[in-house]
């Protein structure tokens, strides 16, 4: 990677011999990488050990096992979770306490639960269980979160992609789809710092999604606010207030919110939340209660005591930011220095969340990922951010720089950009 | 209750005037009870605060967040749970480690999950998802656990009761039902210290259930071993080895085991387990993985460190026994002293578990429960131990003496027996 062409000359404007020379340079750099025996991983949005250390105060908590409202947290009961913890996160998420339930460690599990209840019993506004419909379809903004899509596949729910814009999902496209097709029962949305593209859904787009007419009376917005508090800049972007917007537009039960402390405290031992209208939360508990006598209230107390106040959560997120922002800056630096001006890649500049979304020369994403694998750098499989793993342009790669230490981010990104350059040269010469 | 008739004279053999006098005595005792303003609860099998205190060592654990196999328990991953904890409980439950998965806090949740997977996807030996069958039925030994039954109701699974015997469910009755009816897909069983009757399913009965021909190729035994280690005597009754029995009789995937530490450590913050053949556990994980990135491994480590060894679990159960056995002895004492020889009640003498099952004069169970409520003593609603809450003889009452302190058990049981006597006299005079 030492001898780059001038940044100002896009690869597509170079002559064949210039391209051949460029390819040979990149091939040599790549061979060097392979020989250096890297073993790096940019696949998943996992917190680093340093980030997890920030929450190690949890290990000595709680110091009391009685909740502020006098309940023995160690025993059965309390299906909705510890009230004071619900109140803390309700404030952070802009909800009333009755609009939020605190449960186990995983919001993904809560998403599966909600889908199960809709499938087997139907929602508060359903005519029948979704499983009794001839077909159920979901709108999926793309690129999106792979686990959202594989979950729908498990249920046999058909996915209809719509593009993300800078303001959130393309509301015109969504509105057109849902207006006349009653089989479209819902949509995914990561409203703040979307996975993987980082966009924040604006209040205006949220208002359109909340108010748009839908053929299905029980259309649901699965509002997965996984990164609500996960800012990468000092600006604490506020999430759109989907629950209020839906209520005022006459569709109070449309949104179902999800959030968790997985990327706030411990990824594997945090607290997950599900919210919506009071009726939605009651409906959730009514179904949950058949298979639960209450969540882990000791862990709720542990978190309550650790944070103290909603501001305590915000302050804690500042410490995450101090660890994460330099890694994202490093990704940005290397992408700019290595790929800038060559006309073969664009990427996102997230102000929060866990990912950078890289679009390489169309047709080369799977080749880049294959090359990176050969050089010991694991990337999320090609197409992962699309329903059925089908990236129609074979262009998108999700980069997750949170887990490796900073020097590994540097090494991994230098390797990735070499692979991007080599794959582009190969394709342009093919 | 001071002036009892001689214990040797059954109520049914007394003259009308003797009965009237008996009723008046009980009515006076009952009126006294009401006036004394009790507020006691024998409804649920909840551990007492003293029992929960036994596990308070958990609050300072774990002292390391790295699992014995080198995994950071705080992060995502490890769908099957912490291996060393699985190994500990596999030994206690008579399984191989690969036959057991460690998950969240509730085995009831795991039962609902397994039913969901069977319903939506089918089991390893299913021809199709259960939800696509015209009808699904379950064999339910009665009396049984109310939450088992309400869970089946939620799925719309029809329940077929069979009687419990002293050796477990009536195997002849079960075998006859399942032989020719392919809609019967499974059965519940609490094999050791059954809820509420306390019977232990013998190895012989288990062998018959494991080997019996079933019209459904994917018949499942939901083997809810909630009280496997919960002995009330020094004799540590060993549970029947259903997984091996099923394997040798050619139905390896028939049993699905459930267990938890809910009544070992914390009822609301323990660890739950699901087990069976390796294929069953793999199948469970394959479906679980769509909605989980792994269970709370920190809590797994917390439990692993707390117990140290399988023997550590057994030793811990001895401490529970020391607290529980006197309460069960008190129930037995009062039932014998107050109801013995009167010909109006029989009850179980459990050697483990959490319940005493009391059969009062047929037709009076709901009246007893109503009277008790009037006297401030909460009992499980009439019929709870039967599918659809339908106790055909209106005779069964489940007593749960674990939660109240000993003096409250005494007070509650004296009240209950007064209600039993009054209701019997009322009925015999009606």
């Amino acid at each position: 990677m030492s001898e780059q062409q001038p940044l100002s000359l896009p690869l597509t404007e170079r002559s064949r011999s210039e391209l051949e020379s460029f390819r040979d340079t990149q091939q040599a750099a790549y061979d060097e990488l392979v020989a250096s025996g890297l073993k790096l991983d940019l696949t998943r949005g996992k917190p680093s050990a340093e980030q997890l250390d920030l929450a190690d105060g949890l290990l000595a908590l709680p110091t009391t096992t009685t909740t502020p409202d006098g309940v023995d947290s160690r025993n059965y009961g309390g299906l909705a979770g510890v009230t004071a913890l619900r109140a803390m996160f309700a404030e952070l998420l802009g909800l009333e306490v009755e609009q939020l339930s605190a449960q186990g460690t995983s919001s993904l599990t809560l998403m599966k639960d909600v889908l199960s209840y809709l499938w087997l019993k139907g929602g508060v506004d359903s005519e029948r269980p979704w499983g009794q419909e001839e077909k159920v379809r979901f709108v999926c903004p793309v690129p999106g979160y792979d686990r959202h899509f594989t979950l729908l596949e498990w249920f046999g729910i058909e996915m209809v992609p719509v593009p993300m814009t800078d303001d959130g999902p393309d509301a015109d496209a969504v509105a057109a789809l849902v207006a006349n097709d009653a089989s479209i029962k819902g949509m995914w949305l990561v409203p703040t710092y979307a996975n993987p593209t980082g966009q924040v859904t604006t209040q205006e787009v949220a208002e359109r999604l909340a108010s748009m007419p839908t053929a299905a009376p029980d259309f649901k917005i699965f509002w997965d606010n996984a990164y609500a508090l996960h800012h990468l800049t000092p600006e604490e972007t506020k999430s759109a207030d989907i629950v209020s917007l839906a209520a005022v537009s006459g569709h109070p039960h449309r949104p179902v919110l999800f959030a968790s402390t997985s990327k706030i405290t411990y990824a594997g031992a945090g607290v997950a939340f599900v919210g919506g209208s009071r009726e939605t939360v009651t409906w959730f508990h009514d179904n949950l209660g058949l298979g639960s006598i209450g969540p882990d209230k000791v862990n709720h107390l542990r978190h309550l005591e650790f944070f103290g106040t909603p501001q305590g959560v915000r302050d804690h997120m500042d410490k995450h930011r101090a660890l994460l922002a330099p890694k994202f800056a490093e990704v940005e630096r290397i992408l700019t220095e290595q790929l800038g001006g060559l006309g073969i890649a664009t990427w996102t500049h997230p102000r929060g969340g866990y990912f950078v979304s890289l679009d390489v020369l169309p047709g080369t994403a799977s080749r880049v990922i294959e090359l990176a694998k050969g050089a010991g750098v694991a990337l999320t499989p090609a197409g992962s951010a699309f329903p059925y793993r089908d990236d129609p342009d074979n262009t998108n790669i999700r980069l997750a720089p949170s887990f490796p230490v900073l020097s590994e981010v540097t090494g991994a990104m230098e390797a990735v950009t070499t692979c991007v350059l080599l794959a582009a040269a190969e394709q342009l010469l093919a």
Side-chain angles (χ1 to χ4, degrees), chain A residues 343-345 359-366 391-396 423-424 427-428:
Chain A
I344 54 153
D359 281 343
V360 296
L361 193 65
T364 68
S366 53
D391 174 1
D393 300 322
N394 189 15
T395 191
N396 185 253
Q427 164 131 329
L428 291 170

Side-chain angles (χ1 to χ4, degrees), chain A residues 20 27 74 90 116 133 148 184 193 210 229 232 236 279 319 325 328 345 349 367 377 386 401 403 408:
Chain A
E20 281 168 351
Q27 182 69 52
R74 306 168 302 176
S116 293
E133 302 284 353
H148 286 168
I184 301 191
Y193 309 132
L229 308 171
L232 286 167
E236 298 191 353
E279 291 85 348
K319 300 178 193 166
F328 279 84
H349 316 282
R367 176 65 178 154
V377 177
F386 294 79
F403 186 72
E408 290 175 345

Side-chain angles (χ1 to χ4, degrees), chain A residues 288-299:
Chain A
L288 178 76
L290 276 299
S292 172
I293 319 180
D296 186 339
K297 298 185 300 300
V298 175
N299 204 34

Side-chain angles (χ1 to χ4, degrees), chain A residues 321-352:
Chain A
R321 178 159 62 85
L323 295 171
L324 282 172
K327 295 181 182 178
F328 279 84
E330 184 68 353
V331 171
E332 174 69 27
R333 181 187 70 78
I334 294 172
L335 288 171
T336 305
E337 286 181 13
Q338 305 296 322
L339 304 181
L342 294 178
I344 54 153
T346 59
W347 55 92
T348 57
H349 316 282
R351 300 176 61 78

